[in-house]
Amino acid sequence: TGDLLREAANKGDELGQKIKEILDKGELVTDELVYEVLKKKLAQEECRNGYILDGFPRNVEQAIKYDEILSDMNLDLGVVILLNIPEDLLMKRITGRRICSNCGEIYNIYDELMTPKKDSVCDKCGCMLYQRSDDNEETFNNRFKTYLLKTEPLINYYRDKGALYVVENRDDKYKVLSEIEKIINGLGDSVD
Ligand code: AMP
């Protein structure tokens, strides 16, 4: 949903301007707006054989609404994966993140395994890297507060449904990816 909202923000119209202001403050966009972009996406052909939601739901109201959306669409919840990470490492992941403006590849200037070979240039396609306007320390602190207040309660919500899986997100991305694959393939242990 973050990507979908950034896309809407970049349109530069009045609505886009409003969304950008909220994103830059590190607060949550209104639930109604998120449902609108999400429903549009889920109705697309590319979601037909399944999808991964990243950044949604962000609060309990959205989780309840998502249960309704799933039941209207006759779909199962599937699995919910918590990527667990300590706050100091998360801060580095966010403030060091650089993204390719062309292919979307993600780099991190604080992680030697993820630093681009040439400063600000994508190793894969040679295009310029950029930093998200909300990936600064001040907005990070606000995003983290918003997470603790609004999003963290979802851990109990999904644990109670028996749908919650936890992956430790300190290690390199390949290890994390293989853990996620195991869970999606039905080989993980849910938390109860
Ligand atoms: P992300 O790309 O997941 O880091 O999200 C970036 C920003 O987009 C968040 O700080 C929120 O302002 C907004 N956002 C993303 N997903 C949601 C959501 N489900 N509900 C409300 N706001 C959201």
Side-chain angles (χ1 to χ4, degrees):
T1 42
D3 278 345
L4 298 176
L5 292 167
R6 275 185 290 282
E7 209 175 279
N10 283 338
K11 282 196 181 136
D13 53 12
E14 208 177 312
L15 179 64
Q17 197 64 37
K18 270 193 201 144
I19 296 175
K20 188 170 175 355
E21 273 170 33
I22 299 171
L23 262 55
D24 284 345
K25 275 196 254 170
E27 292 168 5
L28 294 183
V29 167
T30 62
D31 291 345
E32 280 62 34
L33 202 84
V34 176
Y35 302 149
E36 203 177 301
V37 292
L38 181 73
K39 278 192 193 160
K40 254 191 215 158
K41 192 74 181 179
L42 294 186
Q44 287 174 13
E45 180 64 27
E46 63 183 298
C47 291
R48 244 225 190 138
N49 292 327
Y51 52 85
I52 296 172
L53 292 177
D54 173 15
F56 180 92
R58 254 342 205 259
N59 58 35
V60 173
E61 292 76 18
Q62 291 183 6
I64 293 169
K65 176 76 177 185
Y66 186 54
D67 285 339
E68 282 169 33
I69 295 175
L70 286 173
S71 119
D72 288 349
M73 294 175 77
N74 228 348
L75 294 172
D76 285 339
L77 173 63
V79 295
V80 176
I81 303 174
L82 168 67
L83 298 173
N84 212 15
I85 185 167
E87 185 181 351
D88 55 340
L89 181 53
L90 182 58
M91 159 90 98
K92 283 193 168 163
R93 291 259 179 99
I94 298 268
T95 54
R97 175 163 57 185
R98 300 292 182 273
I99 306 165
C100 176
S101 52
N102 178 49
C103 70
E105 184 72 8
I106 294 176
Y107 296 87
N108 196 298
I109 58 168
Y110 301 136
D111 179 341
E112 56 182 35
L113 292 173
M114 290 185 73
T115 309
K117 289 195 182 77
K118 206 171 147 199
D119 195 25
S120 301
V121 175
C122 180
D123 294 350
K124 287 202 166 163
C125 71
C127 291
M128 288 298 291
L129 306 183
Y130 72 94
Q131 184 173 19
R132 270 171 48 176
S133 60
D134 59 346
D135 278 353
N136 60 73
E137 200 171 323
E138 191 190 344
T139 311
F140 167 79
N141 286 327
N142 224 359
R143 284 159 71 190
F144 196 74
K145 270 190 214 145
T146 306
Y147 166 78
L148 292 177
L149 197 69
K150 305 270 172 91
T151 310
E152 203 181 45
L154 289 176
I155 295 176
N156 281 341
Y157 185 86
Y158 287 117
R159 182 190 285 136
D160 290 349
K161 284 178 182 285
L164 185 73
Y165 294 76
V166 179
V167 171
E168 290 307 323
N169 192 5
R170 288 161 218 257
D171 300 308
D172 73 87
K173 62 180 178 182
Y174 300 105
K175 179 143 188 273
V176 173
L177 185 63
S178 92
E179 291 293 314
I180 293 173
E181 272 174 349
K182 262 191 229 158
I183 295 167
I184 291 176
N185 292 325
L187 301 171
D189 295 317
S190 65
V191 181
D192 46 32

